[in-house]
Amino acid sequence: MLSGLSCLLFRLENAFYELAQAYYHHESRVVKAHRDHLNKTTHALLFVRHQFKVAFYNELKQDSHTALKHYRQAYLHLHELRITDYNLLEIKTNSCIVNFKICKLCFEHNTPLDAISQFRRHVDIYKSKIGTADLAFEHSAWMSKQFAVFGDLFEEAIRAGLTAIQTQHPGFYYQEAARYAIARKQLCRGLCPAELKYPASDPLAEADKMEYYGQRPWRQGHQSLEAPSVQKEREGIQALQYRECQVDHSWLVIPLLSSAIAQFKKYKSPRMKRYLVVQMGEEYYHAKDYSKALALLGRVTWEYRSERWWSILTNILQLSLRCAYLVMSFEEYVTVSIELMGRYAQVPREEKIRIQMNLHKIFQDEVPEPEHGCEHDSVEKGRALWTTISAGGKSRSPIVVEMNSITAFVECKACFTADSFLCESPVTVKLGLHSFAPMPIRFSQLSVRFSNEAYNQFGIVVDENAVDDPIESTSYLKPGQTLWHTFQFIVEQDDVDCNLSIAGVDLVLGSLEGCCATLRWTDGGGDAIVHPFATQVHRKKVALNADFSVVSWDVLPSNYSTHISPREANLDVQLLQKGPALVNEFYLMTVSITNTEVAQISNVRTSISVVTAVADAVATAQPNTFLYEDIDLPCSQLISMPLLEELKPNQKVDNVAYVRCVDSGARLMCIQVSYQIPIDISGKMSMCNCMKEITSSIEVCEPFNITVSLTNMKVC
């Protein structure tokens, strides 16, 4: 049943298809017959119209190749028309329609190079044909539309299976469309006065009822080389300019930039993507969407900072500062201000002073001065937001600024003064703060964080001096000078024979009880963005114990980690033996310990273990060796001697143990002695753990050597 119905439907479809083809074929023949009676002298416009109609009928017939041929012919006839300021818009409007058809069919025929070539030729022909100077923005709008439409066609062809490359994809056309849209906005501002009013005669009243595309409503159907009425022409231009002033151009540019960014991201062009993101942020700023502008600009500052594009970065930061002020983003405003005061920001000194003064006002819970270049109404709204917070008596929440990701006005370098420290000597850390701000600045607190948080208490500096006595203050940073701090502390015994590192540095600006910002460096600070590790290794070596005050700031060493070495043990440890040992013998060993320290030691612990056996200069494991504290006790691979609570200077003590080996060979014994001794570290008595380790070899041999020799084979 279904098979028969499908067959009937297929036959019916073919019948309708043949009827439609016959109809469109007849219509195209009628147009061609009418065209044969025309001449180019008086009917030039009809030649374009007839070729387009024939192409359209063939396209409906699904004969796309014939349609493409007639579209191309119609495009050629358009070029033969005489162009004036009064018919230019009509010709451009019709040419863009024909060009769209040609490019679309070329993509459908899988000939993208023909489509691209046609579009480039189309743009080259009309890009210089601006027309009336007072309506130049119309030409930019038309050019923007051409690139946007071709970008859409290109992207549609890619979705259908076309393969694009990094140097030729829709992103370039969306970018050009956005560029012409921006030019349209600029021309509008230059050509359309702000006090412009719409004409009372309303010359655009019939704009939606035009019979032909591209004609002006006030001179519809007029084909002469001169305007029919100069007054109507002037009013029409005024009406178009007034209507253009009502357009928010930024919202035309933003979607185009968004499409371009997506394409450049798809085809892995990060620098072009970043460039367009900055443009998009600027457009959001002009559209008064300052929050989005701030978010977009913040996404690209890291790349421009790491690649050292200082002029570009400075412009982005200045725009970000304006956005942060207008939306009252306290954290962003402080962060951007700190970076704009730095040495890499290419702004005048007067501007840096103004930014620093605004930063000081914020920390005093005052309203900062508005940023330059902001619109008046936006400034008033922004000032109202800042005033509301300041007048409300509410202190802003403290913020944390990650300094390793920005190039700030203050740089920090902290390092240990040695690669390793003995546990009996204090650990020394030097920390320098260098200011590039235009004016002196005070901080409230400085703190160094270590990998062991127990030492953080030794790395804190709090500003306790009077505000009116900055010279004696240890928290006062002067421009171009370095402020040094030295921290010392004694390590705990648990950290002996371990690494200790600087986890970070915190610098607090503002009042700890009120509004403040914590500038936080990871590790020991340094200028990691401008001078990464790969370039630091080639710098001139500076000794860690050098006088840093006479060393250039940029070449100061970076040593964020140190090793805590144990104190050297002053004990005389010997393994007394009378070898060799015999196989399966309970061999007696005597461990002799003599205290050669200058003070009494305590908690003396002794242990003996079998490490390896030495045979043919190769150390191998020896499982057939057993240790005993006493003959009657079980065996072990490691035995501990009884704890000795104290041992006076020059006092000697002996401990005995037994070893039994089931085969011959050399045995390597390891004796470890650990103890505690009181030592004076910077006037403070502390118990220090020490350990002495020695190794001694024991030879093991067979007790008997039996040799059998057969001398006679005869039996008696």
Side-chain angles (χ1 to χ4, degrees):
M1 180 67 179
L2 291 177
S3 177
L5 181 60
S6 300
C7 182
L8 291 174
L9 290 174
F10 180 72
R11 291 172 59 188
L12 183 62
E13 180 185 359
N14 286 338
F16 280 121
Y17 177 74
E18 291 173 359
L19 287 173
Q21 273 200 325
Y23 171 77
Y24 291 127
H25 179 69
H26 176 265
E27 290 296 322
S28 64
R29 289 177 61 87
V30 171
V31 175
K32 289 180 181 179
H34 185 266
R35 185 189 58 189
D36 294 339
H37 301 288
L38 304 177
N39 63 79
K40 292 186 177 181
T41 305
T42 57
H43 305 101
L45 297 176
L46 289 178
F47 270 88
V48 179
R49 179 180 178 85
H50 283 59
Q51 288 292 344
F52 185 88
K53 292 180 68 174
V54 172
F56 186 71
Y57 286 137
N58 280 279
E59 193 175 2
L60 293 175
K61 282 173 55 181
Q62 298 183 2
D63 186 2
S64 59
H65 289 85
T66 304
L68 178 60
K69 181 184 71 173
H70 287 286
Y71 280 133
R72 291 184 186 276
Q73 190 63 41
Y75 195 79
L76 291 176
H77 285 316
L78 273 170
H79 293 171
E80 296 173 357
L81 299 176
R82 182 179 179 182
I83 299 177
T84 65
D85 288 347
Y86 302 104
N87 68 351
L88 176 60
L89 179 63
E90 184 177 4
I91 292 176
K92 287 166 63 175
T93 302
N94 286 276
S95 66
C96 77
I97 297 174
V98 179
N99 176 73
F100 169 81
K101 289 288 188 179
I102 295 173
C103 294
K104 187 174 185 295
L105 291 177
C106 286
F107 279 125
E108 290 180 358
H109 296 164
N110 201 22
T111 55
L113 293 180
D114 291 344
I116 294 172
S117 177
Q118 163 63 27
F119 179 75
R120 287 178 175 174
R121 183 165 57 251
H122 173 67
V123 170
D124 290 341
I125 291 172
Y126 291 103
K127 67 181 180 181
S128 59
K129 293 178 171 53
I130 299 175
T132 305
D134 292 335
L135 299 176
F137 53 82
E138 277 192 337
H139 177 71
S140 296
W142 184 84
M143 290 291 294
S144 175
K145 193 67 176 178
Q146 303 309 297
F147 281 99
V149 169
F150 187 78
D152 292 338
L153 287 175
F154 202 167
E155 188 176 6
E156 182 181 347
I158 292 172
R159 285 197 296 266
L162 180 67
T163 302
I165 57 177
Q166 192 180 41
T167 56
Q168 189 65 258
H169 58 76
F172 290 102
Y173 300 96
Y174 288 130
Q175 181 196 3
E176 281 296 299
R179 186 174 70 86
Y180 276 105
I182 295 173
R184 172 188 178 183
K185 176 176 63 175
Q186 295 171 346
L187 287 170
C188 175
R189 292 177 178 176
L191 296 174
C192 306
E195 64 278 2
L196 191 67
K197 295 183 179 180
Y198 193 78
S201 59
D202 193 8
L204 303 179
E206 303 294 328
D208 297 332
K209 302 177 183 179
M210 300 295 295
E211 184 178 359
Y212 298 104
Y213 290 113
Q215 292 188 354
R216 301 294 188 185
W218 61 86
R219 45 181 166 86
Q220 184 177 359
H222 184 75
Q223 297 294 333
S224 66
L225 301 181
E226 298 293 335
S229 171
V230 177
Q231 178 64 23
K232 287 185 177 180
E233 193 72 22
R234 187 182 300 110
E235 291 178 352
I237 292 175
Q238 182 179 346
L240 290 173
Q241 289 179 341
Y242 178 84
R243 180 174 291 183
E244 185 70 14
C245 289
Q246 312 309 311
V247 177
D248 193 344
H249 300 88
S250 294
W251 295 111
L252 300 177
V253 178
I254 289 171
L256 296 172
L257 289 174
S258 179
S259 299
I261 289 170
Q263 294 295 323
F264 281 107
K265 180 180 180 181
K266 178 180 178 181
Y267 293 99
K268 297 178 175 59
S269 301
R271 285 192 173 180
M272 282 299 300
K273 188 192 80 169
R274 292 198 297 268
Y275 168 67
L276 295 174
V277 168
V278 174
Q279 279 192 316
M280 194 171 179
E282 292 174 347
E283 290 305 319
Y284 271 116
Y285 173 80
H286 295 310
K288 299 184 179 181
D289 193 344
Y290 304 115
S291 298
K292 286 187 178 179
L294 187 61
L296 280 173
L297 296 173
R299 285 166 48 185
V300 297
T301 51
W302 170 261
E303 286 83 1
Y304 286 115
R305 190 182 294 115
S306 60
E307 294 181 6
R308 310 179 191 182
W309 294 97
W310 303 126
S311 58
I312 299 176
L313 178 64
T314 301
N315 292 331
I316 294 174
L317 291 175
Q318 288 177 320
L319 184 58
S320 299
L321 188 63
R322 291 197 289 269
C323 293
Y325 174 84
L326 295 174
V327 297
M328 207 222 47
S329 176
F330 175 60
E331 182 174 355
E332 290 293 336
Y333 190 87
V334 171
T335 303
V336 176
S337 298
I338 287 174
E339 189 159 11
L340 280 175
M341 290 162 55
R343 57 171 163 170
Y344 300 108
Q346 298 181 355
V347 295
R349 173 180 168 80
E350 293 76 14
E351 178 67 9
K352 290 186 178 182
I353 293 175
R354 188 191 66 82
I355 294 173
Q356 185 172 349
M357 293 300 296
N358 273 347
L359 198 61
H360 178 72
K361 288 183 178 181
I362 289 179
F363 291 139
Q364 298 295 324
D365 279 330
E366 298 178 6
V367 179
E369 294 296 323
E371 298 301 318
H372 300 315
C374 299
E375 295 186 6
H376 179 72
D377 55 343
S378 299
V379 168
E380 292 301 322
K381 293 179 181 179
R383 183 185 284 112
L385 293 174
W386 288 96
T387 304
T388 302
I389 298 296
S390 299
K394 298 180 181 178
S395 180
R396 301 181 184 91
S397 300
I399 64 170
V400 177
V401 181
E402 297 296 336
M403 302 295 284
N404 289 85
S405 60
I406 65 174
T407 54
F409 75 91
V410 59
E411 293 181 7
C412 167
K413 290 186 179 180
C415 68
F416 292 100
T417 57
D419 292 326
S420 64
F421 292 90
L422 292 175
C423 65
E424 58 184 329
S425 61
V427 175
T428 304
V429 176
K430 284 188 176 181
L431 185 145
L433 296 172
H434 192 88
S435 174
F436 297 95
M439 296 190 302
I441 192 168
R442 177 190 297 277
F443 62 87
S444 303
Q445 179 176 298
L446 172 66
S447 57
V448 183
R449 293 176 285 110
F450 297 93
S451 54
N452 187 341
E453 296 181 358
Y455 306 131
N456 290 353
Q457 58 180 317
F458 302 108
I460 298 177
V461 176
V462 180
D463 183 17
E464 298 178 350
N465 292 283
V467 177
D468 56 353
D469 188 18
I471 298 178
E472 300 297 330
S473 174
T474 59
S475 308
Y476 197 72
L477 290 174
K478 298 179 182 179
Q481 295 185 8
T482 304
L483 182 63
W484 287 102
H485 291 277
T486 302
F487 306 99
Q488 288 187 332
F489 55 89
I490 306 301
V491 297
E492 299 176 353
Q493 292 302 309
D494 294 339
D495 289 329
V496 175
D497 205 18
C498 297
N499 288 331
L500 179 64
S501 60
I502 300 174
V505 179
D506 291 345
L507 183 68
V508 180
L509 295 179
S511 173
L512 292 172
E513 294 77 17
C515 179
C516 66
T518 301
L519 314 186
R520 176 163 294 172
W521 289 269
T522 57
D523 298 327
D527 199 351
I529 294 176
V530 184
H531 303 293
F533 178 77
T535 60
Q536 288 185 7
V537 295
H538 299 293
R539 292 186 181 182
K540 179 182 177 181
K541 296 293 183 180
V542 179
L544 295 175
N545 57 357
D547 184 4
F548 291 170
S549 60
V550 297
V551 179
S552 174
W553 174 259
D554 290 329
V555 298
L556 286 174
S558 300
N559 183 35
Y560 309 148
S561 179
T562 190
H563 182 74
I564 308 302
S565 303
R567 178 181 179 275
E568 185 178 356
N570 292 322
L571 287 183
D572 183 16
V573 181
Q574 295 180 353
L575 180 63
L576 305 178
Q577 57 170 318
K578 295 181 179 179
L582 303 179
V583 174
N584 283 322
E585 175 191 7
F586 284 90
Y587 183 72
L588 177 65
M589 299 181 297
T590 302
V591 179
S592 177
I593 303 173
T594 304
N595 180 11
T596 57
E597 295 277 8
V598 295
Q600 176 178 297
I601 63 176
S602 59
N603 297 326
V604 183
R605 292 179 172 86
T606 307
S607 63
I608 304 176
S609 61
V610 182
V611 181
T612 54
V614 181
D616 299 329
V618 178
T620 58
Q622 193 56 252
N624 298 325
T625 304
F626 307 98
L627 298 173
Y628 300 84
E629 291 186 44
D630 199 352
I631 297 176
D632 298 332
L633 297 177
C635 64
S636 175
Q637 290 290 315
L638 172 67
I639 61 174
S640 298
M641 301 296 183
L643 175 65
L644 187 61
E645 294 185 356
E646 61 180 26
L647 191 63
K648 297 179 180 180
N650 298 320
Q651 184 180 355
K652 179 179 179 182
V653 65
D654 294 334
N655 294 309
V656 297
Y658 298 88
V659 60
R660 183 174 67 88
C661 306
V662 298
D663 54 9
S664 61
R667 302 296 193 274
L668 191 63
M669 313 304 294
C670 177
I671 298 93
Q672 290 184 343
V673 181
S674 63
Y675 62 94
Q676 291 182 329
I677 181 172
I679 58 175
D680 184 2
I681 306 177
S682 299
K684 180 182 177 181
M685 298 302 296
S686 176
M687 297 301 293
C688 180
N689 295 328
C690 300
M691 187 181 69
K692 183 68 174 285
E693 179 179 318
I694 67 167
T695 55
S696 181
S697 178
I698 299 176
E699 291 293 333
V700 182
C701 61
E702 296 286 345
F704 304 102
N705 189 6
I706 302 174
T707 302
V708 179
S709 177
L710 185 63
T711 60
N712 191 350
M713 296 293 292
K714 292 182 180 181
V715 179
C716 296

